[in-house]
Amino acid sequence: MATITRTLTASAHVAVAVRLKDPERETVARRNLAEAQIADAIDRALTTAPPLNPGQIRTLTTLLKAGGQR
């Protein structure tokens, strides 16, 4: 059974935007692709890791709320 991840779907949207030469659509699609890649990575990590403690969850939440700002 093939698994279609969020990342693959979002990648397809980027490809369509590039093919259409639509910069605004491409920007949105690339932003959505980044979100999908992060979500898929989190899902993969959480399925194999032991449960996180509250402090670890707070640390990760802080990272996400910062949105890449340092």
Side-chain angles (χ1 to χ4, degrees):
M1 179 172 107
T3 301
I4 299 175
T5 66
R6 289 175 282 242
T7 298
L8 290 176
T9 302
S11 295
H13 289 272
V14 171
V16 169
V18 169
R19 201 172 2 191
L20 295 174
K21 299 180 181 176
D22 183 340
E24 288 183 37
R25 186 174 179 162
E26 182 179 344
T27 298
V28 171
R30 290 191 183 282
R31 182 179 303 121
N32 292 339
L33 175 59
E35 176 196 10
Q37 289 171 326
I38 293 166
D40 284 341
I42 290 170
D43 277 345
R44 280 192 305 274
L46 291 176
T47 58
T48 59
L52 301 176
N53 67 40
Q56 293 166 322
I57 292 171
R58 277 192 298 276
T59 299
L60 294 175
T61 300
T62 300
L63 286 172
L64 289 171
K65 283 183 177 177
Q69 303 292 321
R70 297 190 185 241

